[in-house]
C-alpha cells in the first residue's frame, strides 16, 4: 500500500513507523504539516491508500479526511482526547496508559477507533515514555490498523465508536507550576517529567525566569525552595521533604533561549556551594572479565568536555585486566554526536564545532586502536550522526530490536562528518554500500541494519531483556576459547589496515571537509544547526522524505 505520513516533524515515532511500515512492504512518503494547501497537494501527488498522522499539532483539513481514510496516532488510552495526553497521564500519576489509532473526523480525537495498545507507566520523563513505551505500542497498533484497511474498504470490518470524553486542553504553565514551599520531591519530579523535553516547567531561579528540565531526586534537605548548591553542571533545590537536582534549563527571552546545562544557562549559580555529583552521566562497572562503560548524556549529545571525560574513562577501562569492553551508551540514546546546543551557545560556534569533532575523533580513535580487549557497542537506544559512527568504532555492534539509526550527517546542513566514518563504514559495507547509505539520509531500522551488515546482532526488544542478553553474550565472548585468536586477528587487521592507509590520513581528509563546513563560504551547517537548536518549524518537506515530490514521480492509476 502507499502510505502518506502526515506529520509535524520527522520525530522518533514517525521515523520508527517509517522503518516498520517500509519493512512490512509498504510504500512510504512523508509530508510535513505546513498548511492545508500543501497537504492537499501531497495527497493529490501521492494518491495514498491511507494517510497516517503520527505526530500532528493541528487538525487534518476536512476536504482531506472526508475523501480519504486518515488515521491519527493519539498517545492516550481509548476515549482520551486532547493535545497533552501524555503530560496529563504523568501529572495524574496514571498507572497504565496507551496509544489509540483513531480515524480523523470533525471533532478532535473523537473518531472511531481502529486499534489500541496499553502499557504500564514508568517513572520517567515524557520524552522517554514517548520514545519507548508509546513508540512500541504505536508500532503494534498502527500495523494492526493498516492490516484492517482492506477489510474496511470491502465492508467486512468497521472501526469502533466509543463514548466521547470531553476534550482536555493543552496543559498550561500554571497547572504544573511548582509551589516550592509545599510540593514534595515526588510531585516536583512529576511536574518536571511531564514537561521534559518540552516545554519545561516555568519557574524562576536566582530571580531569573527559566524552564526546568532533567530533574532527579537528590539526597539533601533544606528550607523548601532554597538553592542548596551546585552538583556537576546542575543545581540542587530543596523541596518540602528533600531536594531535586535540576540538570538543564532554558531561559526564554535571553540571547541563548534554548536548553543548556543549568550552570551554563545560569552562570550566577557558580557562586552556590559545591555538592557531590551523585548521578554522573559516565559510569563504569565490571563483571566476569567484562568492563561496561555507561554514558548517559542528556539527549545523547556529546560536547567537547563530555567526549574528553568519556575518553578518560575509556582509557581507564582499557587499562583494566578485562577481556571485553562494552560501550553501553545511555538508556534512551546511545549517542547523537556533537552537542549542537553547546556549539550554538559558544562564542565561536565554528571553533567549538572544531573542538567537538576533534574530541569525538580522539575518542573514536582510542576505541579503534584498542588491542588489549575486544570491544562491543551495545545500543539500548537510538544513535544518530556522529553517535552512530562512534558505535561502529567497536569490533561488534549489538542493537536492541526497534532501535533506529541515522548513520549519516547530510541532514545537518550537508555536514561531511568525521569519526573515521570513511574507514569504518566501507569496512562493513564496501565503498558503494557506504556511499549509498550516506546519501540515502533516511533512518535505518534494526532489522535492515542487521541485513546490511551495519550492525552484527539485534537482541531483545525490551530494555531488561536486552541488558540481560548483552551481559550473557559479553561474558561468553570474554571466555570463548577463541578469544585470544580473535584478539590476534584484530591486531593483525589493524596493522594491515594502518599500512594500507593510516587512521591519521582518514581523519585529516575528513577534517579538511569539516573545516570547510565550519569555516567555509557555504554556511549551510550553521543555518541548519541554528534551526535545529532553536526548533524553527519546517517550511518545506525535504526531498528525500517526500517521494511524491521527486522529479518524475507518478502515482500508479490502477488502484
Ligand atoms: N545536540 C544537541 N541536542 C540534540 C542532539 C545533538 N546532537 N541530537 C538530539 N538533540 C536533542 C533534540 O534537540 C531534542 O531536544 P528536546 O529534548 O529539547 O526536544 C532531543 O535531543 C531529542 O531529539 P529529536 O530530534 O527530537 O529526536 P529524534 O529521535 O526525533 O531524532 C536525530 C533523532 C538523531 C535524527 C536528531 O536528533 C538529529 O538529527 N540530531 C542531530 C544529530 C547531528 O547532526 N549531530 C551533529 C553531527 S555529529
Amino acid at each position: 500500500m502507499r502510505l502518506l505520513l502526515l506529520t509535524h516533524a520527522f520525530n522518533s515515532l514517525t521515523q520508527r513507523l517509517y522503518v516498520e511500515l517500509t519493512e512490512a512492504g509498504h510504500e512510504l512518503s512523508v509530508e510535513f504539516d505546513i498548511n492545508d494547501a500543501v497537504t492537499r497537494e501531497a495527497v493529490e501527488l501521492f494518491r495514498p491508500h491511507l494517510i497516517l498522522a503520527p505526530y500532528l499539532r493541528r487538525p487534518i483539513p476536512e476536504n482531506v479526511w472526508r475523501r480519504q481514510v486518515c488515521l491519527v496516532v493519539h498517545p492516550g488510552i481509548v476515549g482520551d482526547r486532547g493535545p497533552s495526553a501524555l503530560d496529563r497521564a504523568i501529572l495524574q500519576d496514571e498507572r497504565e496508559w496507551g496509544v489509540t489509532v483513531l480515524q480523523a473526523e470533525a471533532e478532535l480525537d473523537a473518531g472511531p477507533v481502529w486499534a489500541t495498545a496499553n502499557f504500564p507507566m514508568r517513572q520517567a520523563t515524557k520524552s522517554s515514555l514517548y520514545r519507548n513505551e508509546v513508540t512500541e505500542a504505536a508500532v503494534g497498533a498502527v500495523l494492526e490498523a493498516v492490516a484492517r484497511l482492506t477489510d474496511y474498504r470491502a465492508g467486512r470490518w468497521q472501526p469502533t465508536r466509543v463514548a466521547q470524553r470531553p476534550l482536555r486542553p493543552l496543559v498550561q504553565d500554571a497547572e504544573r507550576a511548582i509551589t516550592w514551599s509545599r510540593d514534595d520531591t515526588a510531585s516536583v519530579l512529576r511536574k518536571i517529567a511531564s514537561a521534559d523535553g518540552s516545554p519545561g516547567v516555568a519557574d524562576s531561579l536566582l530571580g531569573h525566569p527559566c524552564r526546568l528540565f532533567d530533574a532527579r531526586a537528590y539526597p539533601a534537605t533544606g528550607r523548601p525552595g532554597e538553592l542548596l548548591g551546585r552538583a556537576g553542571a546542575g543545581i540542587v533545590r530543596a523541596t518540602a521533604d528533600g531536594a531535586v537536582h535540576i540538570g538543564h534549563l532554558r531561559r526564554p527571552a535571553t540571547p541563548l533561549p534554548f536548553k543548556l546545562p543549568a550552570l551554563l544557562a545560569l552562570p550566577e549559580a557558580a557562586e552556590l556551594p559545591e555538592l557531590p555529583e551523585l548521578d554522573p552521566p559516565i559510569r563504569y562497572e565490571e563483571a566476569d572479565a567484562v568492563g561496561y562503560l555507561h554514558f548517559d548524556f542528556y539527549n545523547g549529545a556529546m560536547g567537547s568536555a563530555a567526549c574528553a571525560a568519556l575518553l578518560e574513562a575509556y582509557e581507564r577501562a582499557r587499562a583494566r585486566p578485562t577481556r571485553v569492553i562494552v560501550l553501553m551508551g545511555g538508556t534512551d540514546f546511545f549517542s547523537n554526536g556533537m552537542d549542537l546546543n553547546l556549539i550554538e551557545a559558544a562564542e565561536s560556534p565554528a571553533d567549538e564545532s572544531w573542538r567537538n569533532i576533534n574530541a569525538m575523533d580522539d575518542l573514536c580513535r582510542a576505541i579503534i586502536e584498542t588491542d588489549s580487549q575486544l570491544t562491543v557497542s551495545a545500543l539500548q537506544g537510538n544513535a544518530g550522526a556522529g553517535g552512530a559512527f562512534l558505535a561502529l568504532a567497536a569490533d561488534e555492534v549489538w542493537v536492541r530490536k526497534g532501535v533506529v539509526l541515522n548513520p549519516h550527517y547530510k541532514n545537518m546542513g550537508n555536514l561531511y562528518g568525521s569519526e573515521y566514518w570513511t574507514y569504518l563504514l566501507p569496512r562493513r559495507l564496501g565503498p558503494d554500500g557506504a556511499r549509498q547509505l550516506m546519501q540515502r539520509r533516511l533512518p535505518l531500522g534494526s532489522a535492515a541494519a542487521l541485513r546490511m551488515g551495519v550492525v552484527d546482532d539485534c537482541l531483545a526488544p525490551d530494555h531488561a531483556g536486552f541488558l540481560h542478553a548483552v551481559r550473557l553474550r559479553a561474558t561468553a565472548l570474554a571466555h570463548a576459547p577463541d578469544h585470544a585468536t580473535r584478539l590476534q586477528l584484530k591486531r593483525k587487521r589493524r596493522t594491515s589496515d594502518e599500512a594500507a592507509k593510516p587512521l591519521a590520513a582518514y581523519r585529516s581528509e575528513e577534517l579538511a571537509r569539516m573545516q570547510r563546513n565550519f569555516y567555509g563560504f557555504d554556511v549551510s551547517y550553521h543555518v541548519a544547526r541554528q534551526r535545529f537548536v532553536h526548533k524553527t518549524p519546517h517550511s518545506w518537506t525535504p526531498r528525500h522524505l517526500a517521494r511524491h515530490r521527486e522529479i518524475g514521480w507518478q502515482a500508479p492509476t490502477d488502484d
Side-chain angles (χ1 to χ4, degrees):
M1 275 191 263
R2 277 192 308 286
L3 308 180
L4 180 68
L5 297 181
L6 177 65
T7 186
H8 176 75
F10 201 43
N11 70 347
S12 54
L13 171 61
T14 313
Q15 292 191 18
R16 177 74 189 285
L17 290 173
Y18 182 95
V19 157
E20 297 289 345
L21 291 163
T22 306
E23 195 69 32
H26 300 295
E27 193 174 1
L28 274 288
S29 194
V30 180
E31 187 70 50
F32 289 159
D33 178 33
I34 289 163
N35 63 45
D36 292 357
V38 171
T39 300
R40 275 197 301 274
E41 185 182 68
V43 176
E44 274 156 31
L45 286 170
F46 194 52
R47 301 188 61 245
H49 297 105
L50 179 69
I51 297 172
L52 190 64
Y55 169 42
L56 273 193
R57 293 195 178 169
R58 310 179 317 130
I60 297 175
E62 179 167 354
N63 58 6
V64 171
W65 63 256
R66 279 215 186 271
R67 279 189 223 159
Q68 183 99 35
V69 178
C70 297
L71 299 183
V72 176
V73 180
H74 175 70
I77 50 173
V78 170
D80 178 75
R81 298 177 60 208
S84 298
L86 204 46
D87 309 44
R88 292 193 183 278
I90 297 171
L91 285 171
Q92 288 168 10
D93 211 6
E94 300 283 357
R95 298 289 128 158
E96 190 178 76
W97 202 239
V99 168
T100 305
V101 177
L102 41 86
Q103 195 164 343
E105 283 190 348
E107 277 209 75
L108 199 68
D109 301 335
V113 172
W114 280 59
T116 182
N118 282 11
F119 51 82
M121 283 287 269
R122 173 172 57 98
Q123 281 197 359
T125 62
K126 172 173 64 166
S127 290
S128 182
L129 288 163
Y130 187 79
R131 280 193 281 265
N132 293 288
E133 283 83 349
V134 168
T135 299
E136 287 305 326
V139 167
V142 163
L143 289 174
E144 207 176 303
V146 170
R148 286 178 171 153
L149 187 67
T150 312
D151 280 352
Y152 171 78
R153 287 170 131 197
R156 291 191 294 266
W157 180 84
Q158 281 298 313
T160 319
R161 287 224 168 255
V162 296
Q164 285 180 22
R165 293 192 196 175
L167 187 93
R168 300 195 292 178
L170 194 75
V171 173
Q172 298 300 311
D173 282 345
E175 287 179 72
R176 54 183 155 208
I178 298 169
T179 310
W180 289 98
S181 58
R182 220 178 38 220
D183 284 352
D184 60 11
T185 299
S187 84
V188 169
L189 291 179
R190 209 163 36 241
K191 286 176 177 177
I192 299 179
S194 79
D196 196 348
S198 163
V201 164
D203 197 50
S204 145
L205 288 174
L206 297 172
H208 300 286
C210 46
R211 291 186 170 268
L212 314 181
F213 305 88
D214 184 20
R216 57 198 67 199
Y218 192 93
T221 45
R223 191 168 36 82
E226 188 187 357
L227 298 188
L228 301 177
R230 61 193 164 87
I235 295 171
V236 178
R237 186 166 193 182
T239 63
D241 65 344
V244 292
H245 177 271
I246 298 156
H248 280 74
L249 299 179
R250 192 162 77 73
R251 291 182 59 193
T254 64
L256 305 176
F258 45 87
K259 215 183 272 184
L260 286 171
L263 277 191
L264 187 67
L266 196 65
E268 298 90 319
E271 305 292 324
L272 294 169
E274 190 172 355
L275 299 172
E277 190 182 12
L278 297 179
D279 238 342
I282 302 175
R283 188 166 57 81
Y284 177 76
E285 43 159 343
E286 216 174 274
D288 286 334
V290 181
Y292 298 90
L293 188 56
H294 300 261
F295 43 101
D296 207 347
F297 299 113
Y298 187 72
N299 282 339
M302 293 174 48
S304 310
C307 293
L310 186 53
L311 174 60
E312 242 184 82
Y314 183 78
E315 294 292 10
R316 278 196 301 274
R318 192 152 84 149
R320 297 282 309 154
T322 51
R323 291 163 155 245
V324 172
I325 298 176
V326 187
L327 304 171
M328 299 294 292
T331 41
D332 274 13
F333 290 106
F334 180 79
S335 167
N336 279 328
M338 303 193 294
D339 191 326
L340 299 171
N341 287 35
L342 288 185
I343 289 172
E344 190 64 24
E347 210 167 282
S348 161
D351 288 352
E352 187 49 38
S353 302
W354 183 252
R355 256 193 301 277
N356 203 160
I357 198 63
N358 274 286
M360 279 294 282
D361 282 359
D362 291 344
L363 174 64
C364 292
R365 185 182 57 206
I367 300 165
I368 298 169
E369 289 183 340
T370 300
D371 64 0
S372 40
Q373 285 98 345
L374 294 177
T375 54
V376 176
S377 290
L379 277 68
Q380 306 171 63
N382 298 350
F389 294 100
L390 169 67
L392 301 195
D395 303 323
E396 294 215 11
V397 183
W398 305 339
V399 296
R400 186 173 60 77
K401 187 169 181 286
V403 153
V404 173
L405 304 177
N406 274 283
H408 44 77
Y409 300 89
K410 279 186 178 295
N411 291 346
M412 195 52 65
N414 250 335
L415 203 60
Y416 184 77
S418 190
E419 287 97 5
Y420 301 91
W421 76 263
T422 53
Y423 169 62
L424 297 171
L425 202 55
R427 78 173 180 173
R428 283 182 169 266
L429 305 185
D432 290 343
R435 204 170 315 115
Q436 273 165 24
L437 186 69
M438 289 302 256
Q439 279 165 4
R440 198 171 147 263
R441 306 164 72 149
L442 288 170
L444 189 64
S446 51
L450 181 61
R451 255 193 331 266
M452 292 167 68
V454 176
V455 305
D456 303 289
D457 221 332
C458 180
L459 307 176
D462 62 300
H463 280 266
F466 178 74
L467 291 177
H468 182 67
V470 166
R471 280 178 199 275
L472 287 181
R473 278 169 164 258
T475 309
L477 190 60
H479 299 286
D482 66 345
H483 178 271
T485 321
R486 290 189 60 167
L487 208 52
Q488 223 168 15
L489 274 174
K490 167 177 165 171
R491 289 189 195 121
K492 251 193 179 154
R493 184 179 180 195
R494 181 81 282 283
T495 311
S496 71
D497 283 358
E498 187 68 17
K501 179 171 174 179
L503 276 183
Y506 288 102
R507 178 167 176 163
S508 65
E509 284 169 16
E510 290 169 4
L511 288 182
R513 303 289 292 265
M514 288 295 255
Q515 199 164 26
R516 269 194 263 164
N517 289 141
F518 300 157
Y519 296 99
F521 285 121
D522 181 353
V523 293
S524 306
Y525 156 70
H526 295 293
V527 172
R529 189 197 61 245
Q530 268 162 24
R531 295 176 65 92
F532 180 82
V533 169
H534 290 271
K535 302 194 188 300
T536 312
H538 298 283
S539 41
W540 71 90
T541 311
R543 274 287 169 81
H544 66 280
L545 296 177
R547 296 200 51 197
H548 52 280
R549 296 191 186 277
E550 272 170 17
I551 295 160
W553 162 264
Q554 262 199 319
T557 47
D558 55 350
D559 49 11

